[in-house]
Amino acid sequence: AVVSTQSTGNPQIDKIHEVIHWQEKCTRKEEIEYMRSELPGSGKKLRPQKGTGSARFKDKRAPNCMFGGKVLGKRPRDYGYDIDPITLITGFSALCTTKLAQGDLSIVDTLQGVDVPALVEYKSRLTAESVLFVTGYAPGLTSSQNTEICFHPGIDLLTTETVHPLAMIQHTVVVMDYLAVRQLEEWVLAIRGEHTVVEQTANTPV
């Protein structure tokens, strides 16, 4: 199951850390730094080579000029890597169980058709700094509601297809409905079942 109601005396913090580290690496982005040849503008010499009393200078794209190009600018690269599915679901399940043991995970009947004012009222009752709502009903919020929820910091609504461990860490309280819990449990059991089938196939003598 995704959430265990039993006490977590020794939660798998290492698995949670590994999953969070994997997601941070996968979502890491760096801004590109343009080199001299990639910047727009003319290559015209800004001042004469001699006779001005100043240092020789070429064009405004030179690296020693403000807003000039970088000598070896940063190039976009992919820091992501593949993670074992069993490690992913183990870390996700451990995170949900730890949240439940801390009293930071609540399960409600349904979040279908909920509006932003209702989410704000629910957050005020919890007196939490930030609340993440997870629903199994897609698409969750309409485009206008997504715009409205931006004016209420500390509130976010995700579906089971878009929820991720990093979002659960960044919010103080997580609220799920029964459909979301059931869908997440089916996802975990499906991955574990596939892994078991693969292991049994690998151990079967030829």
Side-chain angles (χ1 to χ4, degrees):
V2 176
V3 180
S4 175
T5 56
Q6 297 179 356
S7 176
T8 55
N10 187 20
Q12 294 178 304
I13 303 298
D14 56 332
K15 298 298 183 181
I16 299 176
H17 176 268
E18 187 173 351
V19 171
I20 297 299
H21 182 266
W22 164 76
Q23 188 170 7
E24 288 179 342
K25 288 294 184 181
C26 291
T27 57
R28 178 179 176 181
K29 295 181 180 179
E30 290 183 347
E31 294 184 0
I32 183 174
E33 293 181 345
Y34 294 101
M35 293 188 287
R36 183 174 187 166
S37 60
E38 298 173 336
L39 289 177
S42 172
K44 179 181 178 181
K45 194 173 180 66
L46 293 180
R47 53 174 177 254
Q49 180 81 356
K50 297 182 179 180
T52 61
S54 301
R56 49 195 174 186
F57 205 85
K58 192 181 179 184
D59 58 86
K60 61 182 179 180
R61 296 180 296 178
N64 59 331
C65 181
M66 184 177 293
F67 306 113
K70 302 296 181 181
V71 177
L72 295 174
K74 293 181 180 179
R75 303 286 93 180
R77 56 169 293 191
D78 185 12
Y79 292 90
Y81 57 91
D82 294 333
I83 189 173
D84 182 33
I86 295 298
T87 302
L88 176 60
I89 63 175
T90 302
F92 186 81
S93 301
L95 178 59
C96 292
T97 305
T98 304
K99 281 277 190 182
L100 181 65
Q102 295 173 346
D104 296 332
L105 176 62
S106 302
I107 301 177
V108 297
D109 291 336
T110 180
L111 293 173
Q112 184 181 17
V114 68
D115 54 357
V116 178
L119 299 180
V120 175
E121 181 183 358
Y122 192 90
K123 175 180 178 293
S124 62
R125 293 204 307 265
L126 293 176
T127 63
E129 183 178 353
S130 59
V131 181
L132 172 64
F133 296 93
V134 182
T135 179
Y137 299 93
L141 292 177
T142 62
S143 57
S144 60
Q145 288 176 327
N146 282 324
T147 304
E148 183 181 358
I149 204 172
C150 294
F151 296 97
H152 300 280
I155 297 179
D156 201 0
L157 176 63
L158 301 177
T159 63
T160 51
E161 297 180 353
T162 58
V163 67
H164 48 86
L166 188 58
M168 298 178 62
I169 288 288
Q170 293 172 344
H171 291 77
T172 308
V173 177
V174 179
V175 179
M176 296 183 181
D177 58 11
Y178 282 112
L179 182 59
V181 174
R182 186 163 63 250
Q183 290 178 354
L184 292 174
E185 285 181 343
E186 292 175 355
W187 168 66
V188 170
L189 295 176
I191 294 180
R192 287 180 177 172
E194 292 176 0
H195 185 74
T196 304
V197 170
V198 171
E199 285 186 346
Q200 291 177 353
T201 306
N203 297 329
T204 301
V206 178

